[in-house]
Amino acid sequence: MTPTDALPKVLDRIDADLDNSLARLFDFLKIQSISTDPAYADQCKSAAAFVARDLETLGLKAEMRPTSGHPVVIGKPEKPNGGPRVLFYGHYDVQPVDPLDLWQTPPFDPRIEDLGNGRKIIVARGACDDKGQLMTFLEACRAYKAVTGTLPLDITVMIEGEEECGSKGLFSFVKENADEFKLDMALVCDTAMWSPTTPMVTTSLRGLVYEDVTVTAADRDLHSGLFGGAAQNPIRVLTKALAAIHDDDGRITIPGFYDGVPELPDDIKADLKALNLTAEEFLGQIGLSIPAGEKGRLLIEMISTRPTCDINGIIGGYTGEGAKTVIASQAKAKVSFRLVGDQDPVKVQQAFRDFIRARIPADCKVEFENHGLAPALQLPFDSPAIVKTRKALQDEWGHKAVTVGAGGSIPIVGDFKRVLGMDSLMVGFALDDDRVHSPNEKYDLTSFHKGTRSWARILAALAG
Amino acid sequence: MTPTDALPKVLDRIDADLDNSLARLFDFLKIQSISTDPAYADQCKSAAAFVARDLETLGLKAEMRPTSGHPVVIGKPEKPNGGPRVLFYGHYDVQPVDPLDLWQTPPFDPRIEDLGNGRKIIVARGACDDKGQLMTFLEACRAYKAVTGTLPLDITVMIEGEEECGSKGLFSFVKENADEFKLDMALVCDTAMWSPTTPMVTTSLRGLVYEDVTVTAADRDLHSGLFGGAAQNPIRVLTKALAAIHDDDGRITIPGFYDGVPELPDDIKADLKALNLTAEEFLGQIGLSIPAGEKGRLLIEMISTRPTCDINGIIGGYTGEGAKTVIASQAKAKVSFRLVGDQDPVKVQQAFRDFIRARIPADCKVEFENHGLAPALQLPFDSPAIVKTRKALQDEWGHKAVTVGAGGSIPIVGDFKRVLGMDSLMVGFALDDDRVHSPNEKYDLTSFHKGTRSWARILAALAG
């Protein structure tokens, strides 16, 4: 029975098995696999072990492979079944949960919430990014296994544990084991829908440069009454340097930053414009109304095809209750850049460091630490795989699937292209209001259920 | 026996009783009376009770009087003894101890450290500011009581518990009980020496405006991949606004900020210049070398007679280990101003808030909270009390006592003048390297011992 013939039974099986699918997802969501914080290393290992056990149940040969950081879980077919060979990628790690007090229920105690008029959501850290999303793929595979006794095509699975902190370990792992993973195509489920009803295939990704900056002045904290006016204040120095990064039009002033940033072809720009993304619908959901990016750009450009810089965190001095008249000895900030087109991450990093250094007075010292360097990625809009996938998505959702660039970064996808010579097919079912990386992260039950059904259809299409 | 006749015996008594004096100070230093943090309210009460008990042993009628905040301890003579009536002011509260990990020993576990060549220091939070300093006065009184059976003049003691968080409660207390405390003069021991060998009478104090600023953008934390470039980043907005406060010459750009700032008369400026305070000696001790204040000003002006602005703290977004690609919903800063001359604290506060508001984009909101509003204070250089005091200090230290303006603020001293019509005599024995408000705060044993002897001499001089 070909995957296409089996598809109707497979879809029925997915519907019938939904409660068990959710039970498996909940067990996964209970594991506190926060990769960026060393305190959670054991939990990351538990999450990896959970995935490995699950891959075995799909008939794959699974192992936890060591990296410089958290292990990567690999699942391989016992024997090739002749179909196209795909590499499915996902990650079992999640973001930190702070600020914890903003969670309505504990982040690792998953629950279903009924929002009324038929809409239900799964609430937990990782419900969407990426545990919920990657399980849509594994549940689709499980349904094929149950109905046909085998997987619909030659599937290798790679689930890493460092996506939320830069995928450092995975880069070298892929490089060192390139021959093992050079397959026909990668499948990635870590992206979003265009809207709750319109599916999307992601055809470009922004790159990332993430830097810690630490400015140090005096060798101790000082009394601002005694030393104020005479001693350098590292918070003042740091804020002044950071404030110079953007001009009043929202453009980044770092010399050379825009090198390699392409202007969109008119037709693509017209397509984007046609999507008619309004500030009201995109920013309204988070309590904002005015696009804050570069003057003269479409909102959709700001979030998908233009490079950006954000200060992700800053701290210095006294931050407790009440007043303390102190001049801090040190101030720190975390600064990240989203890259597009041919921007060179290393050049951007260097230009940023030079830009800050040039603004540090003689009496202060500045130190940098890198937490990520990834170039942007552009994929073809019209490969056969994308055409088949858009058709399969339309069959499931009843709306034409759009192809758009994503604002986020999936660092490893760039290496799949550069190191393994493989294009990636990026399909996901996240929604803009999923509160990914925020308190009360959620995943629509519809995203999980129809996402699973979507993968069943896509796998059949790719196999056929 | 007049206080002057008794003085030699009193000084001997102080020397003989030094170990007991230190034991009493250590008991006081063990109390964690951090006034700005509500978690330490009980410890503040214990510190007040400690002071009240000690005042009773000096023959004063002591009570803990309630305020809107922590209690103020009042000690009054059982019966007037005819001498001039002075009000001694000090505070039993201390600054927070963070960053705790920089303390070599626990902050509330006082110890004596021998630095060699005869120099010993008392190390603990409050060792100098203000527990050690106020005890120099009480120990001098104790010696008179022991030698003469009474205090050398009519002394009322007022020890408050909110100096480190703005003295709010004390302001209204003094206003409401003005008649009770309208005496001839206030004595204040919360200031510094000019150098370890040169005593100083402080004749002016900078005022203070202390504000919390909170900028809020989206109603939740956001993923910088999804929203970066489109959503306002409150850290970026706040840093940009704060960075605009100072120009490249270190001048404050807030409109009207310098209204009421006097230029020094040439002779006073010449005196200051003659003190020849070098960056090497003043900043060298804290690992710095270049004065960071207004271009074209003497270092001593920067720290005593010019107004300043410092960012005392800032926090927003992710500040933990590693990377988190988040756009925070909120960013906060603590900003304080040191005022001089006739600068109006309320006008400065208003101008600052307007300045920040003007830099907040439509999509963000800003909130302010005040933690202190005190005008600057200028006292006469040549009152009889100051002349007598400088002589007494010279007798003890062997060097001429200088009169200089202090960079810090003692908010209540302004009210003593305005509300009670009383000048204050500000004498203290702190040194620039006492790490006041910082980890490992210390007070030289010499400051404590000779400070006590100094007060004995000053009291005799004022009584005579």
Side-chain angles (χ1 to χ4, degrees):
Chain A
M1 183 164 55
T2 70
T4 313
D5 302 336
L7 184 56
K9 281 201 171 56
V10 169
L11 295 175
D12 293 345
R13 167 75 189 188
I14 288 169
D15 298 345
D17 201 39
L18 180 58
D19 289 350
N20 299 322
S21 303
L22 281 170
R24 286 183 286 265
L25 174 60
F26 276 32
D27 289 341
F28 194 16
L29 290 173
K30 286 173 186 158
I31 306 172
Q32 307 184 14
S33 47
I34 300 169
S35 55
T36 200
D37 185 340
Y40 294 85
D42 288 353
Q43 299 261 9
C44 288
K45 192 161 289 168
S46 310
F50 176 96
V51 172
R53 281 194 306 276
D54 200 53
L55 295 183
E56 293 284 349
T57 67
L58 301 179
L60 296 171
K61 202 148 55 17
E63 14 170 31
M64 288 166 58
R65 305 268 292 261
T67 71
S68 62
H70 302 298
V72 54
V73 185
I74 301 299
K76 290 184 179 177
E78 294 287 353
K79 49 177 176 15
N81 76 359
R85 301 164 312 147
V86 300
L87 175 69
F88 176 78
Y89 163 87
H91 61 93
Y92 62 75
D93 64 318
V94 299
Q95 281 276 318
V97 295
D98 55 279
L100 191 55
D101 56 335
L102 295 187
W103 286 80
Q104 284 149 13
T105 52
F108 295 105
D109 185 359
R111 62 186 170 96
I112 299 272
E113 183 177 337
D114 190 336
L115 301 181
N117 45 46
R119 192 170 176 208
K120 294 183 176 171
I121 56 174
I122 304 161
V123 181
R125 170 58 84 225
C128 170
D129 179 15
D130 183 44
K131 289 172 174 173
Q133 297 243 64
L134 79 87
M135 287 303 278
T136 59
F137 181 85
L138 298 187
E139 291 300 332
C141 292
R142 199 184 319 278
Y144 270 105
K145 185 85 167 40
V147 171
T148 69
T150 172
L151 299 185
L153 64 170
D154 216 345
I155 297 172
T156 298
V157 176
M158 173 186 283
I159 308 296
E160 72 151 316
E162 297 189 308
E163 198 275 342
E164 299 297 1
C165 57
S167 297
K168 278 200 189 124
L170 190 64
F171 287 128
S172 24
F173 176 83
V174 166
K175 213 166 268 108
E176 288 153 18
N177 305 281
D179 300 344
E180 226 180 306
F181 300 105
K182 271 199 175 76
L183 305 175
D184 301 320
M185 173 182 16
L187 306 181
V188 176
C189 188
D190 197 14
T191 54
M193 308 251 300
W194 172 253
S195 76
T197 51
T198 304
M200 176 166 88
V201 179
T202 297
T203 49
S204 70
L205 292 174
R206 290 198 285 193
L208 180 72
V209 172
Y210 198 112
E211 296 267 294
D212 277 7
V213 191
T214 304
V215 175
T216 308
D219 59 15
R220 74 200 65 163
D221 287 358
L222 307 171
H223 184 332
S224 69
L226 295 178
F227 289 93
Q232 287 287 0
N233 181 329
I235 303 177
R236 174 175 151 195
V237 170
L238 180 60
T239 53
K240 194 134 193 137
L242 295 176
I245 293 175
H246 292 88
D247 67 16
D248 295 340
D249 294 337
R251 278 182 64 86
I252 290 156
T253 63
I254 297 170
F257 178 76
Y258 288 98
D259 294 356
V261 176
E263 272 309 324
L264 292 178
D266 294 348
D267 56 333
I268 301 279
K269 191 152 182 174
D271 290 352
L272 289 183
K273 197 159 189 162
L275 288 170
N276 185 31
L277 178 66
T278 66
E280 189 182 15
E281 59 183 306
F282 185 71
L283 295 177
Q285 59 179 323
I286 54 168
L288 298 178
S289 60
I290 305 163
E294 296 169 85
K295 269 217 182 80
R297 295 287 175 182
L298 297 171
L299 175 53
I300 184 139
E301 286 182 284
M302 295 177 183
I303 62 173
S304 63
T305 64
R306 296 296 300 174
T308 63
C309 170
D310 268 300
I311 306 167
N312 303 105
I314 189 165
I315 187 167
Y318 180 66
T319 58
E321 282 301 304
K324 183 179 179 184
T325 49
V326 65
I327 297 176
S329 155
Q330 230 175 39
K332 296 166 183 268
K334 292 174 183 286
V335 180
S336 65
F337 298 86
R338 299 283 172 176
L339 308 184
V340 302
D342 298 322
Q343 281 181 296
D344 178 340
V346 176
K347 279 196 182 141
V348 167
Q349 174 190 41
Q350 205 45 58
F352 166 69
R353 292 184 173 191
D354 294 345
F355 181 89
I356 297 294
R357 281 199 194 93
R359 286 158 178 77
I360 303 300
D363 240 6
C364 297
K365 86 172 193 293
V366 61
E367 290 158 301
F368 298 91
E369 184 183 0
N370 180 268
H371 293 299
L373 279 178
L377 181 75
Q378 180 64 57
L379 296 163
F381 288 85
D382 47 14
S383 67
I386 287 188
V387 173
K388 289 178 182 173
T389 299
R390 292 179 70 177
K391 168 77 169 56
L393 286 167
Q394 181 167 357
D395 293 344
E396 175 61 29
W397 295 86
H399 289 81
K400 195 155 172 294
V402 298
T403 60
V404 178
S409 308
I410 309 174
I412 197 61
V413 171
D415 280 32
F416 287 163
K417 181 73 180 178
R418 282 181 301 277
V419 178
L420 304 182
M422 249 188 326
D423 278 335
S424 294
L425 179 67
M426 290 181 278
V427 175
F429 308 95
L431 298 177
D432 289 339
D433 65 354
D434 279 350
R435 296 185 290 266
V436 161
H437 294 202
S438 302
N440 308 306
E441 177 178 352
K442 64 90 175 165
Y443 196 45
D444 278 43
L445 187 55
T446 305
S447 291
F448 182 67
H449 182 198
K450 289 175 76 66
T452 303
R453 290 172 54 94
S454 298
W455 278 117
R457 293 179 187 274
I458 293 168
L459 291 172
L462 295 176
Chain B
M1 181 163 59
T2 71
T4 313
D5 301 338
L7 184 58
K9 281 202 172 55
V10 169
L11 295 176
D12 293 345
R13 167 74 190 189
I14 288 168
D15 299 346
D17 201 40
L18 180 58
D19 289 349
N20 298 323
S21 303
L22 280 171
R24 287 182 286 265
L25 174 60
F26 275 33
D27 289 341
F28 194 17
L29 290 173
K30 286 173 186 158
I31 307 172
Q32 307 184 15
S33 47
I34 300 169
S35 55
T36 200
D37 184 341
Y40 293 85
D42 288 351
Q43 298 261 9
C44 289
K45 192 161 287 167
S46 310
F50 177 95
V51 172
R53 281 194 305 277
D54 201 52
L55 295 183
E56 293 284 350
T57 68
L58 301 178
L60 296 171
K61 203 148 55 16
E63 19 170 28
M64 286 165 58
R65 305 267 292 262
T67 71
S68 62
H70 301 298
V72 54
V73 185
I74 302 298
K76 292 183 178 177
E78 294 287 354
K79 47 177 178 15
N81 76 358
R85 301 163 312 146
V86 300
L87 175 69
F88 176 78
Y89 163 87
H91 60 93
Y92 62 75
D93 64 318
V94 298
Q95 281 275 318
V97 294
D98 54 278
L100 191 55
D101 56 336
L102 295 187
W103 286 80
Q104 284 150 12
T105 53
F108 295 105
D109 185 0
R111 63 186 170 95
I112 299 272
E113 184 176 335
D114 190 335
L115 301 182
N117 45 47
R119 191 171 176 206
K120 294 182 177 175
I121 56 174
I122 305 161
V123 181
R125 170 58 84 225
C128 170
D129 179 15
D130 183 43
K131 289 173 175 174
Q133 297 244 64
L134 79 88
M135 287 303 280
T136 59
F137 181 85
L138 298 186
E139 291 298 332
C141 292
R142 199 185 319 280
Y144 271 105
K145 186 84 167 40
V147 172
T148 68
T150 172
L151 300 185
L153 63 169
D154 216 346
I155 297 171
T156 299
V157 177
M158 173 185 284
I159 308 296
E160 73 153 314
E162 297 189 308
E163 198 275 342
E164 299 297 2
C165 57
S167 296
K168 279 200 188 124
L170 191 62
F171 287 129
S172 24
F173 176 83
V174 165
K175 214 165 267 112
E176 288 152 19
N177 305 280
D179 301 344
E180 225 179 305
F181 299 106
K182 271 198 175 77
L183 304 175
D184 302 320
M185 172 181 20
L187 306 181
V188 175
C189 188
D190 197 14
T191 55
M193 308 252 298
W194 173 252
S195 76
T197 51
T198 303
M200 175 166 87
V201 179
T202 297
T203 50
S204 71
L205 291 174
R206 289 199 285 192
L208 180 72
V209 171
Y210 198 112
E211 296 267 293
D212 278 7
V213 192
T214 303
V215 175
T216 308
D219 58 17
R220 74 200 66 164
D221 287 357
L222 307 171
H223 184 332
S224 68
L226 295 178
F227 289 94
Q232 287 287 1
N233 181 328
I235 302 177
R236 174 175 152 195
V237 169
L238 181 61
T239 52
K240 194 133 193 139
L242 296 176
I245 293 174
H246 292 88
D247 68 17
D248 294 341
D249 294 336
R251 277 181 65 86
I252 290 156
T253 62
I254 297 171
F257 177 77
Y258 287 98
D259 295 354
V261 176
E263 272 308 323
L264 292 178
D266 293 348
D267 56 333
I268 302 280
K269 190 151 180 172
D271 289 353
L272 289 183
K273 199 161 189 157
L275 288 170
N276 187 33
L277 178 67
T278 67
E280 189 182 14
E281 59 182 306
F282 185 72
L283 294 177
Q285 60 178 322
I286 55 167
L288 298 178
S289 59
I290 305 163
E294 295 169 86
K295 269 218 182 79
R297 296 287 175 181
L298 297 172
L299 175 52
I300 186 151
E301 287 181 281
M302 295 177 183
I303 62 173
S304 65
T305 64
R306 295 298 298 175
T308 62
C309 170
D310 267 300
I311 306 167
N312 303 104
I314 189 166
I315 186 167
Y318 181 66
T319 58
E321 282 301 304
K324 183 179 179 184
T325 49
V326 66
I327 298 176
S329 154
Q330 229 175 39
K332 297 165 183 270
K334 292 173 183 285
V335 180
S336 65
F337 298 86
R338 299 284 171 176
L339 309 184
V340 302
D342 299 321
Q343 281 181 296
D344 178 339
V346 175
K347 280 196 180 140
V348 167
Q349 175 191 40
Q350 204 46 57
F352 166 69
R353 292 183 173 192
D354 294 345
F355 181 89
I356 296 294
R357 281 198 196 94
R359 286 158 178 78
I360 303 300
D363 241 6
C364 297
K365 85 173 194 294
V366 62
E367 290 158 300
F368 298 91
E369 185 183 0
N370 179 268
H371 293 299
L373 279 178
L377 181 76
Q378 180 65 58
L379 297 162
F381 288 85
D382 47 14
S383 68
I386 287 189
V387 173
K388 288 178 184 172
T389 299
R390 293 179 69 177
K391 168 77 169 57
L393 286 168
Q394 181 166 359
D395 293 345
E396 176 61 30
W397 294 86
H399 288 80
K400 194 155 172 292
V402 298
T403 61
V404 178
S409 308
I410 309 174
I412 197 62
V413 171
D415 280 31
F416 287 163
K417 180 72 179 179
R418 282 181 300 278
V419 179
L420 305 182
M422 244 186 334
D423 277 336
S424 295
L425 180 67
M426 290 182 278
V427 176
F429 307 96
L431 298 176
D432 289 338
D433 67 353
D434 279 349
R435 295 185 291 266
V436 161
H437 293 201
S438 302
N440 307 305
E441 178 179 352
K442 64 88 176 167
Y443 197 45
D444 278 41
L445 187 56
T446 305
S447 291
F448 183 68
H449 182 199
K450 289 175 76 66
T452 304
R453 289 172 53 95
S454 299
W455 277 117
R457 293 179 186 275
I458 293 168
L459 290 172
L462 295 176

